[in-house]
Amino acid sequence: MKKALLCLLAAVLCLPSALCQTEGESIPADIFYLMPEFGQGSVFFKGRAPFPGQLNICAIDGSVRYKDAAGQERIIQDDGSLTAVSIGDASFIMRDGFLVRQYPLNLSASLVVQRKVDLMSDVKVGAFGMETRTAAINNYDNFANGGQFYNLDQVKDQRYRLYETVYLFHGGQFSVFNKRNCQKCFPGAKDAIDAWFKEHKNPTAEDLPAILEACRSWAE
């Protein structure tokens, strides 16, 4: 029994740090999208030229959205070659099929935040404006392929649960934000990291600016 409890405790300690777990009765635009508004940016693909445009990212289905010349919102359907997105001064990279916000700390390390919104009730989902723009952007009249893509107007009155989880990105690998991994990532700041985690017993209770401030000081 003691061994089982120790294993359970170890599993819990290895979980990613969830910065935020909140619920709401309706979904505003700044929750539905990862950015407050559409902004000029680029979508990057393996072996293809970047796709520029007015972009945003849906926090529910993870899809990249862009505005066409008429201002219609359309979806970039990833064919597996999408690697990153930039919108204004914000950068997003792929982690397990989802785009996560990247906050560079130095030349080799970043803090990344994965934000996901789950609907708390069933919603009928239909297609909306899509068109072919590159080989990596496909046109669908419906979602017979099984994919679900959400329009803000369809879900804005739905209850939702929002999760934000923080990771380290170092040497091309993602790792849990904890003392051990921070000390591996910033070996010159082991004492400062130890002191920070002693003071902040529950890092999940800290907001992103506080964590960023600490990480930037360790990365100097």
Side-chain angles (χ1 to χ4, degrees):
M1 176 64 74
K2 182 178 180 181
K3 183 177 180 181
L5 289 174
L6 288 174
C7 290
L8 178 60
L9 176 61
V12 170
L13 292 176
C14 288
L15 290 174
S17 298
L19 286 174
C20 178
Q21 295 184 34
T22 59
E23 297 180 7
E25 296 298 324
S26 60
I27 304 179
D30 60 351
I31 296 294
F32 182 82
Y33 299 107
L34 295 187
M35 295 292 288
E37 58 187 18
F38 279 73
Q40 186 63 36
S42 296
V43 185
F44 299 89
F45 305 95
K46 293 178 183 176
R48 294 186 173 95
F51 172 81
Q54 289 289 318
L55 305 171
N56 214 326
I57 301 166
C58 178
I60 298 178
D61 57 44
S63 64
V64 183
R65 309 294 176 89
Y66 70 95
K67 294 285 185 71
D68 64 15
Q72 170 103 19
E73 181 178 334
R74 299 184 182 277
I75 294 174
I76 294 178
Q77 173 71 20
D78 181 20
D79 65 352
S81 66
L82 194 156
T83 60
V85 174
S86 67
I87 304 174
D89 60 358
S91 298
F92 300 84
I93 55 176
M94 277 292 186
R95 180 187 179 276
D96 294 339
F98 278 89
L99 287 160
V100 295
R101 178 86 179 258
Q102 182 179 29
Y103 297 87
L105 302 170
N106 56 31
L107 293 177
S108 62
S110 300
L111 195 73
V112 296
V113 177
Q114 180 168 344
R115 181 168 157 195
K116 184 74 173 68
V117 173
D118 289 337
L119 299 177
M120 297 176 67
S121 58
D122 293 333
V123 179
K124 292 183 178 179
V125 180
F128 64 104
M130 307 173 72
E131 65 180 11
T132 300
R133 292 291 292 272
T134 74
I137 303 171
N138 300 314
N139 182 55
Y140 290 91
D141 292 326
N142 56 56
F143 297 115
N145 64 334
Q148 288 187 324
F149 297 92
Y150 293 83
N151 185 322
L152 178 58
D153 288 339
Q154 295 169 320
V155 300
K156 64 183 180 181
D157 297 323
Q158 300 297 318
R159 295 180 63 223
Y160 70 90
R161 184 177 289 118
L162 179 149
Y163 306 88
E164 287 189 327
T165 308
V166 64
Y167 300 90
L168 292 169
F169 184 67
H170 181 245
Q173 300 293 323
F174 293 94
S175 61
V176 174
F177 178 79
N178 59 27
K179 184 175 77 170
R180 183 181 65 179
N181 289 333
C182 286
Q183 289 178 330
K184 287 181 179 179
C185 192
F186 312 109
K190 287 186 176 180
D191 290 342
I193 293 168
D194 184 63
W196 190 88
F197 276 90
K198 282 182 179 178
E199 181 181 353
H200 303 87
K201 302 291 186 183
N202 180 17
T204 63
E206 301 303 314
D207 58 16
L208 179 59
I211 293 176
L212 272 173
E213 180 182 4
C215 287
R216 283 168 177 159
S217 69
W218 303 334
E220 291 177 350

